[in-house]
Amino acid sequence: GLAWTPDGRRIALSDERLRLLVMNVADGAVTVVDSSAIGAIREFDWSPDGRYLAYTATLDNLYHQVRIWDSRARKVHAVSDSLFDSFAAAWDPDGRYIHFLQARR
């Protein structure tokens, strides 16, 4: 899948090497954001202002972890704990909160 920023300047996508990439549409420059230990990163969602990218990565323990990439600082932040299976991250319309599902076993 692909996810365009709200302003249409960048595209988030995953590749066959289990990496999450962001491509700048104007010049074609590609940034490697993160990679998943097992399985492709398929769920990603841009914040309404296009600064943050929320996504789900598969961990070694086969759980999923919600992470956020800050495009300005170029840093990844884990949002959910690795001890719980978390997925389906989505931003609220104002971009102030992120919602996701979590399975607690």
Side-chain angles (χ1 to χ4, degrees):
L2 301 171
W4 289 82
T5 54
D7 64 8
R9 294 181 182 182
R10 291 176 287 177
I11 304 171
L13 61 138
S14 60
D15 70 4
E16 73 283 349
R17 294 162 85 187
L18 311 180
R19 300 179 302 175
L20 176 61
L21 310 171
V22 171
M23 184 179 77
N24 185 318
V25 175
D27 62 10
V30 176
T31 300
V32 178
V33 171
D34 200 354
S35 61
S36 185
I38 303 167
I41 298 172
R42 297 196 190 282
E43 298 178 343
F44 30 87
D45 188 42
W46 287 101
S47 61
D49 66 358
R51 176 176 176 178
Y52 300 100
L53 178 63
Y55 60 96
T56 303
T58 307
L59 304 173
D60 290 332
N61 64 3
L62 300 182
Y63 284 168
H64 300 90
Q65 183 177 53
V66 174
R67 298 176 182 169
I68 295 175
W69 178 63
D70 181 340
S71 65
R72 287 190 197 151
R74 298 192 178 262
K75 291 188 179 186
V76 171
H77 305 280
V79 175
S80 65
D81 194 297
S82 62
L83 298 177
F84 301 105
D85 198 15
S86 305
F87 50 93
W91 295 93
D92 78 316
D94 296 326
R96 293 181 47 169
Y97 301 100
I98 185 165
H99 306 279
F100 58 89
L101 300 175
Q102 188 173 74
R104 294 186 173 232
R105 299 173 190 160

